[in-house]
Amino acid sequence: MRTIVKTFPGVQALRGVDFDLMPGEIHCLIGENGAGKSTLMRVLTGAQRPDSGEIEISGETFSGLNPALSQKLGVGMIYQEADLVPALSARDNIFLGHERVEAGMILKKKEMRREVERIFGQLNLNFPPSTIVRDLAPAQRQLVQIAKSLSRNIRILVLDEPTAALTDSEIGYLFDLLNELKSRGIGMVYVSHRLDEIMAIADRVTVLRDGSHVATQRIGDVTKGSLIAAMVGRNIDAEARSTSSKADKVVLSVRGLTVKGQFEDVGFDLYQGEVLGLAGLIGAGRSEVLECLFGVTQPDAGSISVEGKAVKVNSPIEAILLGFGLVPEERRESGLVLGRSVAENITFPVLDRFSRFTFLSRGKLVEVASRLVSQLSIKTPSLGQSVRTLSGGNQQKVVIGKWLAAGTRILLLDEPTRGIDINAKFELYQLVRDLTAKGMSVIMASSEMPELLALSDRILVMSEGRLVAELDAAMTDQVEIMHHAVAGARREGEAA
Amino acid sequence: MTSNMATADSGIDWRKLLAENAIIPALLVFIVLAGIATGGRFLSPSNLTIILFQSSVLGVLVLGQTLVMLVAGIDLSIAAVAILAAVIMGAGGSERQIMMNFSGILPYLGFLPAILIAIAGAALAGLINGLVVVKLRIPAFIATLAMSLALSGLAMLATGGSPVHYPDPFYESFGQTKFLGLPMPIYMFLALSLGLGLYLSRSKLSVQLYATGGNPRAAALSGIPVSRITILAYTASGLLGGIAGFLFLARTGSVAPHSGGNLLLETIAAVVIGGVSLAGGKGNVLNAFAGTLLLVGLSNLMNILLISPHLQDAVSGIIIVVAIMANTRLQDAPAGQ
């Protein structure tokens, strides 16, 4: 791809970017959100035509592609957010649009079944291909997507944040797989925010910033620090440790909490000003524990007490009154009403405060929203802007802002930095530190271990629905956490 | 992506405003074109009055349908609610009419009790719709279709299938009473539309309605009483259906179990032309109101131009599709980048 230029109304998304990919190579593409990575890849997959520049694939030169042509040329794409049909099985999704047929219409079911089993074996997937996609966890959906693109004959594979929803062990499988594809001569463009992964998998790496090409280097010639510096244009301390704000007062006490089929016998204390990390593989039950605390599901056994008083949380509304706030894992599905404004989204839990006999004072609402927008430095053209158009990091701040408005004392964060760029991540970390310094207590479930280690006071490790370890964040490391998370899983496996 | 720090609203996004309210200029253009096409007859005060008069029943039903669609539901029983309410008001409220009936299922209630019972019953039907949709998790389409069939059956049973010809004379005189040249039902229709529109523009309920329709899961996790809001929308829809039944009787002076005709489909058409999304969380009362006037105005125009009624239905169908296409395009365009 040479001197690709793409302009949108008001924004020059790409300013003459060069990019090349060799067969059997993994070429990582990094840059902050808005740097132009997605646009560049959309040009490659034919979703967008460049204003100028040219694309050369296997010796053929094009001024622009369309999706059909791009597919014919062997370009495959795996999107950040799974694009599967939820009502169909994994197998049917994999062959969607290119079903194997004979006589023009009869499905060759046996052949497809065998092919899917082969791909599943390759990917080490542990669920049956007949599972309906709706019933799969986000990570499993991502893997189905990868399986889907493998079932096509591809020469170039574009992966956009493929690991965003995966656990470390699943990432391991994925990397084995990518290496195998590499040995078959498939060229891959790997778009990601996760530098550790890039260091592990890339042959070369290209950095984009504000629509311009900054650098292309062999992976041996760069360090994490130099990549971050190239992305943001300045140096950032990636491993900043927190100072603890933990006090002696127990704010939340959980004993023997059980939701059948999700988690069992979970018990812990949360102290004022503490950040309690919740580690574990996907499916370990971390999100489920948070949802139960927030009244989304009802426990089958166990007790919850808030500030020494035993409570029963029957609904999110009751949870909010008790001082809980949940920042859910799937921000766009569960955290925000995308079509509504920043001001409304921030004030949903506290509408009652601005209304009298059901009449709403928009003035007061805007006042509170505008105070939070500036406190959290949420970047939005206006308070009336629909949150759909904000970047991931700013969307997440809106979700957190909602709980600041509500006066939350116990903040439940579920994968708070998923899919947001590195600057926004650091802002969020700082925000969590500021909030705990003011006495808020935080439970944070995260798959990003550096983040857990840097922010938490203590880290609880869950495995297969049970709490298997409590670790002092200052005294532990990724290896120990992973050891507990996986060891529990293995025991379960042996028992079964 | 241009995003700059802002701590307060920085002016109005005209493009978005136009995209979301395209029905208003469309209605104005239509009125001008219709005026030209008919050599001004369309614009005569008497014709405009007819359009408003004809819009009154549909317009009130549209208000109810809009509320339900905002929470991503649909009320297929709203026309049946209106007709049954009209039957109860007309037959149960008139001694003379009850004597005409054979079945005797509907007793003589008295004029005022009949009105109150009819309207309360309409609201109750809406409440049941809401409870069935929310508590039993039955799709709105099925739940309200069943309600529609059940109520139509009741109307048949109560009247034995024959029309209610002799409602209390109040209805006809109310329908014909004019104030400043306009019949009373028009005032009721306008007052309800204006009242609901204004109420929604400054109430907590509207924020909750849009949040519930826009993303019920996120709304629930933000502390919005999603179930209560949804049930409330269906109940209000039933209540408005009852009021529409009153207007129906006042406008026509009689009602038959089959009088509903195309009324149900017209409510959906008007709401959709007004840009209210079937997926919920998008649209507003003012636009649905404009959609009603456009739909009724179009049919009036075709009557003036002596276009065959059969062709009229086809034209209405095409307009609905065009309106949906235009709304989808307009609303998606600005979010394209």
Side-chain angles (χ1 to χ4, degrees):
Chain A
M1 300 172 84
R2 279 189 292 272
T3 55
I4 302 289
V5 175
K6 174 75 192 173
T7 310
F8 293 118
V11 188
Q12 198 170 15
L14 294 174
R15 309 160 191 262
V17 172
D18 295 327
F19 187 83
D20 67 309
L21 178 70
M22 286 180 286
E25 174 193 49
I26 298 180
H27 193 154
C28 286
L29 187 57
I30 62 171
E32 289 193 293
N33 286 348
K37 297 166 303 200
S38 302
T39 309
L40 185 63
M41 288 306 108
R42 280 203 289 271
V43 168
L44 178 60
T45 56
Q48 260 155 7
R49 282 187 77 88
D51 300 336
S52 63
E54 54 188 27
I55 305 155
E56 186 187 316
I57 295 179
S58 310
E60 278 184 274
T61 305
F62 306 90
S63 62
L65 299 172
N66 59 52
L69 180 59
S70 167
Q71 230 168 60
K72 217 178 99 211
L73 290 167
V75 179
M77 169 105 192
I78 292 168
Y79 291 95
Q80 194 170 347
E81 272 153 28
D83 100 270
L84 298 169
V85 182
L88 293 180
S89 70
R91 185 194 304 129
D92 290 343
N93 264 291
I94 285 168
F95 282 102
L96 195 64
H98 63 128
E99 292 86 355
R100 305 275 167 84
V101 290
E102 52 196 353
M105 55 191 287
I106 317 280
L107 290 172
K108 292 202 258 184
K109 286 202 169 169
K110 258 191 201 151
E111 187 187 315
M112 290 197 285
R113 204 165 290 165
R114 267 202 307 276
E115 171 77 8
V116 166
E117 266 160 27
R118 190 182 62 74
I119 298 171
F120 266 51
Q122 239 176 24
L123 281 168
N124 234 330
L125 301 189
N126 56 0
F127 54 92
S130 56
T131 316
I132 302 299
V133 165
R134 190 188 296 118
D135 301 330
L136 294 175
Q140 294 171 321
R141 287 182 204 171
Q142 192 79 39
L143 293 169
V144 171
Q145 274 228 306
I146 291 167
K148 182 177 169 178
S149 62
L150 287 184
S151 71
R152 293 171 188 265
N153 235 340
I154 46 166
R155 282 187 295 182
I156 299 173
L157 182 60
V158 181
L159 302 112
D160 188 3
E161 292 278 358
T163 58
L166 304 190
T167 58
D168 284 1
S169 60
E170 288 165 328
I171 291 172
Y173 294 142
L174 175 66
F175 282 4
D176 290 347
L177 185 83
L178 296 187
N179 280 323
E180 178 180 334
L181 295 179
K182 196 163 114 173
S183 66
R184 284 195 230 153
I186 295 175
M188 280 164 279
V189 186
Y190 189 100
V191 182
S192 181
H193 288 308
R194 298 187 168 184
L195 300 181
D196 288 333
E197 290 171 18
I198 288 169
M199 298 306 287
I201 190 88
D203 296 306
R204 283 189 301 161
V205 56
T206 288
V207 182
L208 293 184
R209 186 170 72 223
D210 298 332
S212 301
H213 178 267
V214 178
T216 298
Q217 283 175 293
R218 302 205 61 79
I219 200 69
D221 303 335
V222 299
T223 64
K224 264 169 76 177
S226 74
L227 285 180
I228 292 177
M231 276 163 70
V232 299
R234 62 181 182 274
N235 275 308
I236 283 188
D237 180 7
E239 305 285 338
R241 273 208 92 81
S242 72
T243 48
S244 175
S245 317
K246 183 179 162 191
D248 283 338
K249 188 180 159 205
V250 173
V251 180
L252 170 72
S253 182
V254 176
R255 292 289 174 268
L257 202 65
T258 301
V259 172
K260 284 199 183 103
Q262 295 188 346
F263 58 86
E264 264 177 76
D265 196 22
V266 169
F268 59 86
D269 287 329
L270 174 69
Y271 293 86
Q272 184 165 14
E274 180 183 33
V275 178
L276 185 60
L278 208 48
L281 304 176
I282 287 195
R286 295 168 302 168
S287 305
E288 289 78 2
V289 169
L290 297 184
E291 286 190 349
C292 181
L293 289 175
F294 198 61
V296 179
T297 49
Q298 298 307 311
D300 295 307
S303 65
I304 302 171
S305 34
V306 176
E307 286 170 359
K309 259 184 262 166
V311 296
K312 207 169 169 315
V313 192
N314 291 312
S315 68
I317 295 178
E318 289 186 27
I320 293 166
L321 290 175
L322 287 166
F324 287 100
L326 173 68
V327 176
E329 179 178 9
E330 303 206 313
R331 172 172 65 237
R332 301 164 66 87
E333 287 75 19
S334 314
L336 298 164
V337 182
L338 290 175
R340 306 305 297 174
S341 70
V342 172
E344 283 187 10
N345 269 285
I346 272 191
T347 52
F348 281 145
V350 291
L351 285 175
D352 287 330
R353 220 187 281 164
F354 313 120
S355 45
R356 233 183 198 197
F357 309 118
T358 82
F359 284 96
L360 191 70
S361 159
R362 288 261 172 193
K364 279 191 211 161
L365 186 151
V366 165
E367 196 183 301
V368 168
S370 113
R371 186 167 52 76
L372 284 162
V373 163
S374 61
Q375 183 188 335
L376 298 174
S377 35
I378 297 172
K379 285 181 191 149
T380 171
S382 79
L383 288 173
Q385 185 77 15
S386 76
V387 290
R388 189 192 307 280
T389 58
L390 301 190
S391 71
N394 283 304
Q395 287 182 342
Q396 193 68 301
K397 286 187 195 169
V398 171
V399 181
I400 293 175
K402 183 163 80 179
W403 300 125
L404 297 190
T408 290
R409 295 189 306 276
I410 302 170
L411 190 62
L412 312 172
L413 301 173
D414 196 355
E415 302 288 358
T417 59
R418 170 167 300 168
I420 68 181
D421 71 50
I422 200 153
N423 263 342
K425 269 185 194 179
F426 286 118
E427 279 185 69
L428 263 170
Y429 298 159
Q430 191 51 47
L431 179 64
V432 168
R433 288 180 191 131
D434 292 348
L435 294 175
T436 49
K438 287 182 197 152
M440 192 186 275
S441 309
V442 174
I443 303 179
M444 178 173 77
S446 174
S447 296
E448 300 225 14
M449 296 224 239
E451 166 177 308
L452 278 178
L453 287 165
L455 278 180
S456 309
D457 293 288
R458 288 177 299 150
I459 296 175
L460 302 177
V461 187
M462 286 190 75
S463 178
E464 302 283 330
R466 287 175 180 278
L467 222 50
V468 291
E470 182 191 321
L471 307 168
D472 182 341
M475 312 283 283
T476 188
D477 55 27
Q478 299 198 20
V479 178
E480 192 184 8
I481 296 174
M482 192 39 73
H483 176 77
H484 287 292
V486 176
R490 200 172 298 141
R491 268 203 305 279
E492 284 285 313
E494 280 161 13
Chain B
M1 214 156 285
T2 49
S3 54
N4 36 50
M5 268 298 296
T7 48
D9 280 31
S10 56
I12 300 161
D13 186 346
W14 288 105
R15 198 172 148 185
K16 191 176 153 213
L17 200 68
L18 182 67
E20 283 173 0
N21 299 285
I23 180 69
I24 308 287
L27 179 63
L28 295 178
V29 169
F30 167 76
I31 290 173
V32 172
L33 291 180
I36 294 168
T38 57
R41 262 177 73 198
F42 183 85
L43 294 175
S44 72
S46 65
N47 191 54
L48 292 179
T49 306
I50 289 173
I51 291 176
L52 280 176
F53 196 43
Q54 286 176 341
S55 300
S56 58
V57 174
L58 180 62
V60 172
L61 291 175
V62 159
L63 297 178
Q65 193 68 267
T66 302
L67 289 176
V68 171
M69 282 205 193
L70 282 182
V71 295
I74 191 165
D75 188 352
L76 298 182
S77 69
I78 195 164
V81 166
I83 296 303
L84 180 62
V87 165
I88 294 174
M89 288 177 203
S94 149
E95 223 161 353
R96 189 168 166 221
Q97 179 65 39
I98 281 296
M99 315 253 274
M100 303 289 298
N101 283 346
F102 308 115
S103 53
I105 286 176
L106 192 63
Y108 173 62
L109 301 164
F111 172 65
L112 211 56
I115 292 184
L116 293 178
I117 287 172
I119 290 188
L124 179 68
L127 175 66
I128 294 172
N129 278 336
L131 288 172
V132 169
V133 168
V134 170
K135 302 290 177 192
L136 303 183
R137 294 168 191 274
I138 291 178
F141 192 92
I142 305 295
T144 59
L145 182 65
M147 178 61 78
S148 174
L149 291 171
L151 296 184
S152 301
L154 278 182
M156 282 297 272
L157 207 60
T159 58
S162 46
V164 175
H165 278 309
Y166 309 106
D168 193 283
F170 169 80
Y171 292 101
E172 231 176 319
S173 60
F174 178 80
Q176 282 163 8
T177 303
K178 290 193 176 175
F179 178 72
L180 299 177
L182 297 178
M184 292 309 284
I186 293 185
Y187 287 103
M188 264 183 90
F189 159 51
L190 294 181
L192 281 169
S193 303
L194 195 68
L196 187 66
L198 282 178
Y199 176 70
L200 283 185
S201 73
R202 48 199 69 197
S203 76
K204 179 174 74 171
L205 180 65
S206 99
V207 177
Q208 294 174 322
L209 276 173
Y210 286 105
T212 300
N215 185 345
R217 181 169 163 80
L221 288 177
S222 301
I224 286 174
V226 168
S227 303
R228 220 169 65 209
I229 298 297
T230 308
I231 294 170
L232 188 67
Y234 280 95
T235 309
S237 177
L239 178 71
L240 287 161
I243 296 172
F246 175 89
L247 290 177
F248 189 97
L249 207 52
R251 203 185 91 197
T252 56
S254 78
V255 59
H258 292 301
S259 302
N262 282 333
L263 212 45
L264 170 64
L265 294 179
E266 281 170 6
T267 66
I268 296 171
V271 172
V272 167
I273 289 176
V276 179
S277 161
L278 284 162
K282 245 187 213 168
N284 63 49
V285 168
L286 174 68
N287 288 350
F289 174 82
T292 309
L293 293 188
L294 186 63
L295 194 67
V296 175
L298 183 71
S299 132
N300 174 280
L301 172 70
M302 291 190 286
N303 280 334
I304 296 178
L305 298 176
L306 298 174
I307 292 173
S308 140
H310 305 298
L311 194 58
Q312 289 192 13
D313 284 348
V315 172
S316 301
I318 292 168
I319 296 287
I320 291 167
V321 174
V322 169
I324 293 180
M325 262 167 50
N327 279 323
T328 317
R329 296 258 163 114
L330 277 168
Q331 299 191 353
D332 285 352
Q337 41 169 304

mmCIF file of all heavy atoms in Angstrom, chain B residues 31-45 47-48 304:
data_model
loop_
_atom_site.group_PDB
_atom_site.id
_atom_site.type_symbol
_atom_site.label_atom_id
_atom_site.label_comp_id
_atom_site.label_asym_id
_atom_site.label_seq_id
_atom_site.Cartn_x
_atom_site.Cartn_y
_atom_site.Cartn_z
ATOM 1 N N ILE B 31 -47.722 20.062 2.014
ATOM 2 C CA ILE B 31 -48.879 20.968 2.066
ATOM 3 C C ILE B 31 -48.836 21.945 0.898
ATOM 4 O O ILE B 31 -49.839 22.171 0.215
ATOM 5 C CB ILE B 31 -48.903 21.715 3.422
ATOM 6 C CG1 ILE B 31 -49.247 20.720 4.532
ATOM 7 C CG2 ILE B 31 -49.914 22.858 3.392
ATOM 8 C CD1 ILE B 31 -49.146 21.284 5.933
ATOM 9 N N VAL B 32 -47.631 22.479 0.626
ATOM 10 C CA VAL B 32 -47.508 23.428 -0.486
ATOM 11 C C VAL B 32 -47.828 22.745 -1.812
ATOM 12 O O VAL B 32 -48.626 23.230 -2.623
ATOM 13 C CB VAL B 32 -46.083 24.024 -0.523
ATOM 14 C CG1 VAL B 32 -45.886 24.842 -1.787
ATOM 15 C CG2 VAL B 32 -45.833 24.872 0.725
ATOM 16 N N LEU B 33 -47.225 21.558 -2.021
ATOM 17 C CA LEU B 33 -47.453 20.836 -3.286
ATOM 18 C C LEU B 33 -48.922 20.469 -3.446
ATOM 19 O O LEU B 33 -49.493 20.599 -4.530
ATOM 20 C CB LEU B 33 -46.593 19.577 -3.337
ATOM 21 C CG LEU B 33 -45.085 19.807 -3.479
ATOM 22 C CD1 LEU B 33 -44.344 18.473 -3.521
ATOM 23 C CD2 LEU B 33 -44.789 20.635 -4.725
ATOM 24 N N ALA B 34 -49.534 20.013 -2.327
ATOM 25 C CA ALA B 34 -50.945 19.629 -2.395
ATOM 26 C C ALA B 34 -51.795 20.841 -2.731
ATOM 27 O O ALA B 34 -52.759 20.752 -3.504
ATOM 28 C CB ALA B 34 -51.388 19.007 -1.067
ATOM 29 N N GLY B 35 -51.425 21.999 -2.175
ATOM 30 C CA GLY B 35 -52.150 23.228 -2.473
ATOM 31 C C GLY B 35 -52.064 23.555 -3.955
ATOM 32 O O GLY B 35 -53.076 23.878 -4.601
ATOM 33 N N ILE B 36 -50.867 23.405 -4.526
ATOM 34 C CA ILE B 36 -50.682 23.705 -5.948
ATOM 35 C C ILE B 36 -51.462 22.708 -6.806
ATOM 36 O O ILE B 36 -52.184 23.087 -7.729
ATOM 37 C CB ILE B 36 -49.178 23.661 -6.305
ATOM 38 C CG1 ILE B 36 -48.450 24.789 -5.573
ATOM 39 C CG2 ILE B 36 -48.979 23.775 -7.812
ATOM 40 C CD1 ILE B 36 -46.948 24.675 -5.609
ATOM 41 N N ALA B 37 -51.350 21.409 -6.439
ATOM 42 C CA ALA B 37 -51.971 20.366 -7.260
ATOM 43 C C ALA B 37 -53.490 20.501 -7.311
ATOM 44 O O ALA B 37 -54.124 20.055 -8.260
ATOM 45 C CB ALA B 37 -51.588 18.985 -6.727
ATOM 46 N N THR B 38 -54.077 21.081 -6.275
ATOM 47 C CA THR B 38 -55.532 21.168 -6.230
ATOM 48 C C THR B 38 -56.016 22.577 -6.486
ATOM 49 O O THR B 38 -57.181 22.897 -6.234
ATOM 50 C CB THR B 38 -56.061 20.726 -4.847
ATOM 51 O OG1 THR B 38 -55.433 21.556 -3.859
ATOM 52 C CG2 THR B 38 -55.770 19.278 -4.583
ATOM 53 N N GLY B 39 -55.130 23.424 -6.980
ATOM 54 C CA GLY B 39 -55.520 24.801 -7.238
ATOM 55 C C GLY B 39 -56.011 25.504 -5.989
ATOM 56 O O GLY B 39 -56.948 26.304 -6.018
ATOM 57 N N GLY B 40 -55.443 25.145 -4.837
ATOM 58 C CA GLY B 40 -55.772 25.842 -3.595
ATOM 59 C C GLY B 40 -56.889 25.189 -2.795
ATOM 60 O O GLY B 40 -57.090 25.520 -1.633
ATOM 61 N N ARG B 41 -57.597 24.235 -3.403
ATOM 62 C CA ARG B 41 -58.735 23.643 -2.683
ATOM 63 C C ARG B 41 -58.282 22.925 -1.413
ATOM 64 O O ARG B 41 -58.973 22.935 -0.404
ATOM 65 C CB ARG B 41 -59.456 22.635 -3.588
ATOM 66 C CG ARG B 41 -60.673 23.237 -4.261
ATOM 67 C CD ARG B 41 -61.309 22.224 -5.187
ATOM 68 N NE ARG B 41 -62.018 21.177 -4.456
ATOM 69 C CZ ARG B 41 -62.351 20.003 -4.988
ATOM 70 N NH1 ARG B 41 -62.025 19.733 -6.228
ATOM 71 N NH2 ARG B 41 -63.000 19.117 -4.276
ATOM 72 N N PHE B 42 -57.114 22.287 -1.526
ATOM 73 C CA PHE B 42 -56.583 21.554 -0.379
ATOM 74 C C PHE B 42 -56.386 22.484 0.809
ATOM 75 O O PHE B 42 -56.562 22.098 1.956
ATOM 76 C CB PHE B 42 -55.240 20.910 -0.778
ATOM 77 C CG PHE B 42 -54.626 20.077 0.303
ATOM 78 C CD1 PHE B 42 -55.006 18.755 0.469
ATOM 79 C CD2 PHE B 42 -53.671 20.608 1.157
ATOM 80 C CE1 PHE B 42 -54.437 17.977 1.470
ATOM 81 C CE2 PHE B 42 -53.104 19.831 2.163
ATOM 82 C CZ PHE B 42 -53.491 18.517 2.318
ATOM 83 N N LEU B 43 -56.023 23.737 0.504
ATOM 84 C CA LEU B 43 -55.683 24.668 1.572
ATOM 85 C C LEU B 43 -56.872 25.438 2.117
ATOM 86 O O LEU B 43 -56.726 26.265 3.010
ATOM 87 C CB LEU B 43 -54.625 25.651 1.060
ATOM 88 C CG LEU B 43 -53.271 25.012 0.734
ATOM 89 C CD1 LEU B 43 -52.326 26.041 0.111
ATOM 90 C CD2 LEU B 43 -52.639 24.426 1.980
ATOM 91 N N SER B 44 -58.063 25.200 1.550
ATOM 92 C CA SER B 44 -59.225 25.953 2.033
ATOM 93 C C SER B 44 -59.490 25.594 3.490
ATOM 94 O O SER B 44 -59.282 24.459 3.904
ATOM 95 C CB SER B 44 -60.453 25.615 1.192
ATOM 96 O OG SER B 44 -60.894 24.308 1.504
ATOM 97 N N PRO B 45 -59.929 26.571 4.287
ATOM 98 C CA PRO B 45 -60.142 26.324 5.712
ATOM 99 C C PRO B 45 -61.060 25.126 5.936
ATOM 100 O O PRO B 45 -60.802 24.317 6.831
ATOM 101 C CB PRO B 45 -60.810 27.613 6.197
ATOM 102 C CG PRO B 45 -60.375 28.660 5.238
ATOM 103 C CD PRO B 45 -60.198 27.967 3.922
ATOM 104 N N ASN B 47 -61.437 22.464 4.142
ATOM 105 C CA ASN B 47 -60.728 21.216 3.886
ATOM 106 C C ASN B 47 -59.709 20.911 4.982
ATOM 107 O O ASN B 47 -59.584 19.782 5.432
ATOM 108 C CB ASN B 47 -60.037 21.239 2.524
ATOM 109 C CG ASN B 47 -59.538 19.854 2.133
ATOM 110 O OD1 ASN B 47 -60.323 18.893 2.128
ATOM 111 N ND2 ASN B 47 -58.252 19.742 1.873
ATOM 112 N N LEU B 48 -59.018 21.948 5.417
ATOM 113 C CA LEU B 48 -58.040 21.726 6.498
ATOM 114 C C LEU B 48 -58.753 21.256 7.765
ATOM 115 O O LEU B 48 -58.252 20.402 8.497
ATOM 116 C CB LEU B 48 -57.245 23.004 6.771
ATOM 117 C CG LEU B 48 -56.296 23.415 5.640
ATOM 118 C CD1 LEU B 48 -55.567 24.710 5.985
ATOM 119 C CD2 LEU B 48 -55.275 22.309 5.338
ATOM 120 N N ILE B 304 -59.568 14.379 -3.216
ATOM 121 C CA ILE B 304 -59.860 15.585 -4.005
ATOM 122 C C ILE B 304 -59.516 15.350 -5.465
ATOM 123 O O ILE B 304 -60.239 15.741 -6.372
ATOM 124 C CB ILE B 304 -59.061 16.792 -3.465
ATOM 125 C CG1 ILE B 304 -59.518 17.123 -2.044
ATOM 126 C CG2 ILE B 304 -59.222 17.993 -4.384
ATOM 127 C CD1 ILE B 304 -58.755 18.276 -1.422
#
